[in-house]
Amino acid sequence: MPGGDAREAAKTVAGSFEDFPFLPELPARGPGADMVGRTAGMLAELYARVEPSGWRLGDRPGRDTKRARSWLGEDLDALEEFTQEYTGPLKVQAVGPWTLAAALELRNGEAALSDPGACRDLAGSLAEGLRLHLAEVSRRVPGARLVLQLDEPSLTAVLRGQVKSASGYRTHRAVDRQLVEATLRDVVGVHGEGAVVVHSCAPDVPFALLRRAGAAAVSFDFSLLTERDDDVIGEAVEAGTRLFAGVVPGTDSALSDPAGSVMGVRTLWRRLGLQPGLLAEAVTVTPSCGLAGASPAYARRALAHCVSAARSLADNPE
């Protein structure tokens, strides 16, 4: 979300999504509030600090780790205030293990992705950190059924060997798909019986891999889909995977009528030959990506537009 006021963001979210609020992230506050720094602050027994080139793993918690944890605590306080007596699904999010490995640097300045042992340690630390985070949110909002979102915008680049080295002159080798899947499965498993969503706003989201790794839903930028994705999406839906369809622009744009925003979803459904009645059960309407780059006024309009578009989809699936 845009801005830096945790209470205002929580109030907006709780008021917009009465039946599916989420814990806002406010990266405009600076390092530690950004998605990588925020997740680095959640890690168990691993720490990171800000360098000119980005976030780098270190030996002990410093001021950057303390700042990240302080802001997360502030956000949790605000969420708790505006979700008193709430019962129902509540979404929290963190960076997934492979995007984190591509973003965090080792001491030599290279991405953790370059070292299989570092990737393994990072995934284990993330899993434990998420377990503690989920327990803390459950304590603060005891009536909530937590939905965990793992943000993996770099996942396709990791699978294709497109993550650049520190020099920028070469790329790190592609990670084996089975290892990627197994690591994701381990991190997804930390939520037990709870639902896990994997979000990627990059092209060519690996729907089948994410489904096998245990994701209950996949969140993506709907505008990046091509007809090449039809088969895997159809298989995912028939297997019970929910689609978080990003159809509302994440930055200030002129919004069409709500029915127009989900016209592409209806078209996809017809093309796949799926039952229209499945739409409301299988699709959640979302912004295409985060709203941090939007104006506060547009962010509020976009959230309200998602609700109206979802209602249109449910009322008129055909």
Side-chain angles (χ1 to χ4, degrees), residues 247-248 255-266 285 301-302 304-314 316:
V247 297
V248 178
L255 296 174
S256 67
D257 67 288
S261 293
V262 290
M263 189 180 302
V265 179
R266 291 191 181 95
V285 177
R301 284 202 306 276
H305 192 83
C306 286
V307 174
S308 299
R311 191 171 295 123
S312 167
L313 201 58
N316 302 291

Side-chain angles (χ1 to χ4, degrees), residues 126-204:
L126 174 63
E128 177 60 15
L130 286 174
R131 187 186 66 76
L132 296 172
H133 178 55
L134 291 166
E136 174 67 7
V137 180
S138 291
R139 184 185 67 77
R140 289 171 177 263
V141 193
R145 298 193 313 276
L146 297 188
V147 175
L148 172 63
Q149 176 174 307
L150 297 175
D151 291 322
E152 284 283 15
S154 299
L155 184 59
T156 300
V158 167
L159 289 166
R160 293 183 172 178
Q162 295 172 337
V163 176
K164 289 188 176 180
S165 65
S167 68
Y169 292 119
R170 62 181 183 84
T171 57
H172 297 291
R173 68 175 60 184
V175 181
D176 180 78
R177 295 181 76 89
Q178 290 185 329
L179 177 59
V180 169
E181 181 183 323
T183 301
L184 279 168
R185 187 181 299 110
D186 288 345
V187 177
V188 166
V190 78
H191 196 24
E193 297 300 312
V196 177
V197 184
V198 179
H199 167 74
S200 177
C201 48
D204 299 319

Side-chain angles (χ1 to χ4, degrees), residues 283-308:
V283 175
T284 298
V285 177
T286 74
S288 58
C289 202
L291 292 164
S295 66
Y298 176 80
R300 288 192 293 272
R301 284 202 306 276
L303 294 180
H305 192 83
C306 286
V307 174
S308 299

